[in-house]
Amino acid sequence: MGGAVIAYDTETTGLNVHRDEVFAYSICEADSSAATVYPEVYRLDGSAVRRYTSRVKLEDIWKEGKAPKVMHKSKFDLPMTERVLGRSLKEQPFHDTMIQSHLIRSNHPSHALKDLAWELAGIPKDDEDAIKKFLKGKKGDRNYSMVPEPIMTEYQERDALRTILLHHFFYPQIKSDPKMLEVYNNELDLIRTSIDIERRGMMLNPQRCHTLINSTERAALGVLDDIEQYAGRRINPDSPNDLHWLLFQKAGLPITRYTKTGKPCTEKEVLFDLRREFGHHVIESVLKFRSWSKAVTTMRSYLKLMDADHIIHPTLNTCEADTGRESCSNPNLQNVPKMGVLLNPYAVPVRSLFMPRPGHVIFYIDFSGIEFRLAVYYSRDQTLINLVRSGGDPHALAAEIFFGDQFRNERDPAIKKTMRNAAKNMNFAIIYGAGVATIAAGLNLPVSVVMARYQEYKRRLPGLAALSERMTKLAQAQGYVETVFGRRLYVPRGQAFVATNYLIQGTAADILKRAQVRVDKYLKAATGGEVAILLPIHDELVIEYPRKRMADVQEVLRSSVELMQDFPEIDVPLDAEMQVAAANWESKSPFKLTA
DNA sequence: GTCATCGGCGCG
DNA sequence: AAAGCGCGCCGATGAC
């Protein structure tokens, strides 16, 4: 028996959770049979309410002890409602049909309410069309609160109905599978932490941001001048036409690769190859311009998105990615450029713009090599399991296999490191189904040589070498792979070879999502929220820590790391490392717990 | 003017 | 037959 629930949907003046406001809401109550349901529509100002004046009703809906509310994208409706009510709803039970949809069919083309309700219940989308049509005729600032009463009411009624129907379609499927229910419940907890993370946001240094924008822009313009000197006319390197002319006509460089639509490829790897062979200064200029102009627009967007307190509030998407990962947008703080990346020689120190709030430092806890460890776990390769358990280095082992005595006898640590790095790339290539040709290219060795050494690799590490094919076949047969935690990841049709990647990325996502919930709960209980998560980044938690609590730091971080690593389901150890930044995100230094 | 697509690139 | 993957965001481009 499902028990009674109330579908709940807000209408707002915009999509910004921190700024825009609720002006209307609708509900739809239903018991477990859901035999007859009547949507009810309300307006906050009481002007167009059907049955009640609104404020009383909204309070009533969210009174303690009422039935759980079902929302579609609760991460939007919950904080919006909290702002209207002026109180926290964190103890309130709820459901989310978007999460349900995502768990049941991770690769569905759309988890949008209207699309799902049309597909599963045949509810037409013309209510939404009517709103769009109305707003299209309006000029200037437009939002849903301007939509006339009959159109809006129809829309609200249908959304409440849609939500309750989806819940009654999806939730029984989830509840019938204990592991899937556990994944679902963690996703609901994750909504709570994500709301708090978005609300807290990250602090930007606006002065530094302006300065860096100016200097970087000057440098980029200087590069344009250099190119003009050489080319005899102004060139826009972002324009394919201009760039193709510059590289392949004027400079006479050869076209080494084409894009899928048959145009000359000018991506960085191609430019690196051309640079190595011809060393033409115009290549350098293009690389510089791209990196610097992109950094400028990125930094400008930060200034636009920053609030009056210099805080950037990104959006965390917890159920968008096909692999179960979280993503981040407006802005994406999970891909902020950093210094010291080999393939990015002209990097701009954008991370240095992010800083701890006054009186705080930032800690970073990241899983080291989690993807490879999970590959080892799923492969059941006994050699590698034992090696990882005993603290050995699987990538050095791969280097020995691929480079043999050449690696073993190498005395120069720099060269040795390069070889290990190549072998590490190979380990991943093999896990994720690369062919011998790709591997040979990555190792810079003849295909014939790699062929022989790959045979040896398969003999020494049979489990790992077989993982990709095993998962690919499984995905081909059933359409999905399932993580150890019970998350099903549907693999794109005709692309079964991505199965291993989905499995491993999805498992890492399960782990970080659970870790995030645990650490968040712990930090709230142990520090009253003074220590808080700033951001999840796939295998890492960023944590802001007040200096005045430094007396606690050992205990708090030790507990956090322990919570992150406590996964008895995975029988290879999950190592985590810590770093600390006092000034900004760029200047991190290692942090060790005392013994 | 608006929209979708592409190539390109940052992070993991 | 062969293939590492995921995400979000940008400017350019061409169709409507």
Side-chain angles (χ1 to χ4, degrees), chain A residues 238-263:
Chain A
D238 283 336
S239 157
N241 268 342
D242 278 18
L243 186 62
H244 293 161
W245 175 84
L246 180 72
L247 294 177
F248 306 123
Q249 304 280 316
K250 174 72 183 172
L253 297 164
I255 298 171
T256 52
R257 201 197 304 171
Y258 290 89
T259 68
K260 65 175 180 186
T261 50
K263 288 165 188 139

Side-chain angles (χ1 to χ4, degrees), chain A residues 95 99-100 103-104 167 170-189 485-487 514:
Chain A
H95 288 285
I99 294 173
Q100 294 169 3
L103 286 190
I104 286 170
H167 180 71
F170 287 135
Y171 189 53
Q173 300 178 54
I174 288 174
K175 227 173 43 169
S176 69
D177 178 344
K179 280 174 98 177
M180 193 183 278
L181 183 62
E182 203 185 321
V183 174
Y184 175 65
N185 284 329
N186 193 72
E187 292 286 341
L188 294 180
D189 284 344
F485 299 102
R487 182 190 297 276
R514 285 173 191 228

Side-chain angles (χ1 to χ4, degrees), chain A residues 440-500:
Chain A
L443 292 172
N444 203 14
L445 290 170
V447 173
S448 54
V449 173
V450 171
M451 207 94 94
R453 292 180 185 177
Y454 189 38
Q455 291 304 318
E456 174 70 0
Y457 185 102
K458 283 200 272 199
R459 194 185 64 73
R460 300 264 306 266
L461 307 174
L464 196 75
L467 179 66
S468 176
E469 200 182 332
R470 183 155 65 86
M471 288 305 148
T472 301
K473 286 197 168 135
L474 189 64
Q476 237 148 17
Q478 61 185 21
Y480 64 87
V481 289
E482 189 172 321
T483 71
V484 63
F485 299 102
R487 182 190 297 276
R488 281 187 188 180
L489 302 160
Y490 285 81
V491 172
R493 289 187 69 77
Q495 272 200 98
F497 67 92
V498 302
T500 319

Side-chain angles (χ1 to χ4, degrees), chain A residues 529-540:
Chain A
E530 282 192 357
V531 183
I533 300 177
L534 280 185
L535 191 70
I537 321 184
H538 310 309
D539 64 351
E540 169 183 4

Side-chain angles (χ1 to χ4, degrees), chain A residues 18-277:
Chain A
H18 313 284
R19 237 191 16 232
D20 297 315
E21 298 193 354
V22 179
F23 68 86
Y25 58 95
S26 53
I27 65 165
C28 187
E29 295 187 72
D31 64 14
S32 55
S33 70
T36 323
V37 290
Y38 298 104
E40 301 170 28
V41 174
Y42 303 96
R43 293 247 169 158
L44 268 194
D45 64 4
S47 64
V49 173
R50 288 210 158 166
R51 283 172 52 191
Y52 299 89
T53 43
S54 53
R55 221 173 223 296
V56 176
K57 183 68 186 180
L58 188 61
E59 283 288 356
D60 187 48
I61 292 167
W62 288 97
K63 261 203 321 234
E64 298 288 324
K66 292 283 277 189
K69 262 57 73 180
V70 186
M71 289 158 274
H72 194 84
K73 198 176 253 190
S74 56
K75 197 161 63 57
F76 182 76
D77 297 284
L78 278 174
M80 279 294 198
T81 306
E82 285 181 335
R83 287 220 341 259
V84 176
L85 292 177
R87 65 187 169 92
S88 166
L89 301 174
K90 63 168 179 266
E91 304 300 330
Q92 299 259 353
F94 70 101
H95 288 285
D96 191 318
T97 47
M98 191 158 117
I99 294 173
Q100 294 169 3
S101 170
H102 191 262
L103 286 190
I104 286 170
R105 221 157 8 134
S106 59
N107 71 335
H108 197 269
S110 167
H111 302 289
L113 180 63
K114 278 87 177 163
D115 294 335
L116 292 169
W118 164 243
E119 178 193 329
L120 298 171
I123 300 179
K125 302 187 220 172
D126 52 347
D127 52 334
E128 189 176 33
D129 300 339
I131 289 185
K132 280 187 186 153
K133 199 175 146 197
F134 174 82
L135 288 177
K136 206 165 184 166
K138 295 278 158 198
K139 282 239 188 307
D141 269 352
R142 304 164 288 185
N143 70 64
Y144 274 30
S145 70
M146 303 164 175
V147 176
E149 167 58 18
I151 299 178
M152 200 64 218
T153 298
E154 176 68 21
Y155 180 87
Q156 288 185 257
E157 272 190 3
R158 279 200 211 171
D159 269 4
L161 188 63
R162 286 173 171 121
T163 306
I164 205 79
L165 289 175
L166 291 189
H167 180 71
H168 282 100
F169 179 76
F170 287 135
Y171 189 53
Q173 300 178 54
I174 288 174
K175 227 173 43 169
S176 69
D177 178 344
K179 280 174 98 177
M180 193 183 278
L181 183 62
E182 203 185 321
V183 174
Y184 175 65
N185 284 329
N186 193 72
E187 292 286 341
L188 294 180
D189 284 344
L190 191 68
I191 294 293
R192 301 275 186 218
T193 91
S194 301
I195 289 171
D196 291 341
I197 291 169
E198 291 180 358
R199 217 175 249 153
R200 170 171 273 256
M202 257 179 120
M203 185 167 257
L204 190 80
N205 183 337
Q207 293 82 25
R208 198 185 175 108
C209 192
H210 277 113
T211 310
L212 194 57
I213 286 173
N214 288 338
S215 60
T216 310
E217 188 175 29
R218 263 202 309 279
L221 289 174
V223 171
L224 287 185
D225 292 342
D226 294 345
I227 295 176
E228 185 172 356
Q229 281 259 297
Y230 164 72
R233 64 181 173 95
R234 201 65 169 175
I235 293 290
N236 177 5
D238 283 336
S239 157
N241 268 342
D242 278 18
L243 186 62
H244 293 161
W245 175 84
L246 180 72
L247 294 177
F248 306 123
Q249 304 280 316
K250 174 72 183 172
L253 297 164
I255 298 171
T256 52
R257 201 197 304 171
Y258 290 89
T259 68
K260 65 175 180 186
T261 50
K263 288 165 188 139
C265 173
T266 63
E267 72 169 30
K268 193 149 76 175
E269 203 175 311
V270 169
L271 297 189
F272 277 149
D273 287 347
L274 290 173
R275 180 176 69 169
R276 194 153 15 90
E277 197 163 344

Side-chain angles (χ1 to χ4, degrees), chain A residues 295-313:
Chain A
V296 167
T297 49
T298 302
M299 293 188 284
R300 287 216 173 102
S301 80
Y302 293 158
L303 290 177
K304 277 207 190 92
L305 292 163
M306 174 185 78
D307 73 10
D309 300 320
H310 306 169
I311 303 293
I312 290 181
H313 303 273

Side-chain angles (χ1 to χ4, degrees), chain A residues 305-367:
Chain A
L305 292 163
M306 174 185 78
D307 73 10
D309 300 320
H310 306 169
I311 303 293
I312 290 181
H313 303 273
T315 303
L316 293 177
N317 311 302
T318 63
C319 55
E320 290 281 344
D322 286 352
T323 55
R325 267 188 177 182
E326 298 179 74
S327 72
C328 179
S329 51
N330 299 310
N332 183 358
L333 294 184
Q334 291 178 328
N335 73 344
V336 180
K338 59 177 186 181
M339 304 301 283
V341 176
L342 219 62
L343 278 84
N344 196 358
Y346 301 112
V348 178
V350 181
R351 284 196 179 192
S352 69
L353 305 179
F354 291 92
M355 54 194 242
R357 280 174 174 72
H360 291 67
V361 298
I362 300 180
F363 284 100
Y364 306 81
I365 314 180
D366 73 298
F367 289 109

